[in-house]
Amino acid sequence: MTRARMPRPHEVAAARRDPRLLRALRERRKDEAWRTRGTCQSVDPETFFPAPNEPADAAVALCRSCDVQGSCLAWALEVGDCHGVWGGTTPRERRAMLIAWRDEVQPDPDVASEAGPPVRDQLLTLVPSR
């Protein structure tokens, strides 16, 4: 597995103007039930997690037609997910967007305290213990 490189300054500058990021900023926390309406619900999940040497074009194309693309990308940036295609973006694109996202979005202490444990911890509770 290769280590992801830090985005270059021109990539971050381009990410700040990216319409997908701007939409994610607008739709952040607008729709908590976005996952139930995503186009990805009817597609094999493997489509959105291609191998490192495979193109992600099919997943990105599906995302372009999705109504919840902004909310999906906002979620991925919020949790810092760097794997797979989320909101029509590849991991490389999201790394640059994440820097811009963190500059724009300040953590809301009220929401953080209400949100409960991080998503990873919530998922670990679903795994049966041995």
Side-chain angles (χ1 to χ4, degrees):
M1 178 180 224
T2 60
R3 187 173 187 167
R5 69 167 176 77
M6 288 295 295
R8 295 185 173 105
H10 72 276
E11 292 172 321
V12 176
R16 290 184 201 286
R17 298 184 306 272
D18 192 311
R20 296 170 297 180
L21 177 65
L22 299 175
R23 180 178 176 184
L25 287 166
R26 281 192 314 271
E27 294 181 11
R28 178 177 176 239
R29 296 196 183 117
K30 179 180 174 186
D31 180 13
E32 297 297 326
W34 62 269
R35 289 183 186 141
T36 60
R37 293 188 323 280
T39 303
C40 56
Q41 294 296 311
S42 61
V43 180
D44 181 13
E46 291 293 319
T47 305
F48 298 94
F49 296 92
N53 57 348
E54 292 180 9
D57 299 343
V60 172
L62 283 168
C63 290
R64 282 192 192 123
S65 66
C66 186
D67 293 335
V68 296
Q69 181 181 4
S71 297
C72 178
L73 177 56
W75 179 86
L77 293 169
E78 193 77 33
V79 299
D81 194 322
C82 290
H83 302 286
V85 174
W86 292 93
T89 60
T90 63
R92 184 175 182 172
E93 292 170 320
R94 274 195 315 283
R95 283 192 294 274
M97 287 181 179
L98 191 55
I99 294 171
W101 176 267
R102 289 179 178 159
D103 289 344
E104 292 291 323
V105 176
Q106 299 301 319
D108 186 353
D110 295 331
V111 173
S113 63
E114 293 174 12
V119 172
R120 179 181 165 274
D121 294 342
Q122 292 175 14
L123 292 175
L124 287 175
T125 62
L126 300 174
V127 177
S129 59
R130 295 181 186 210

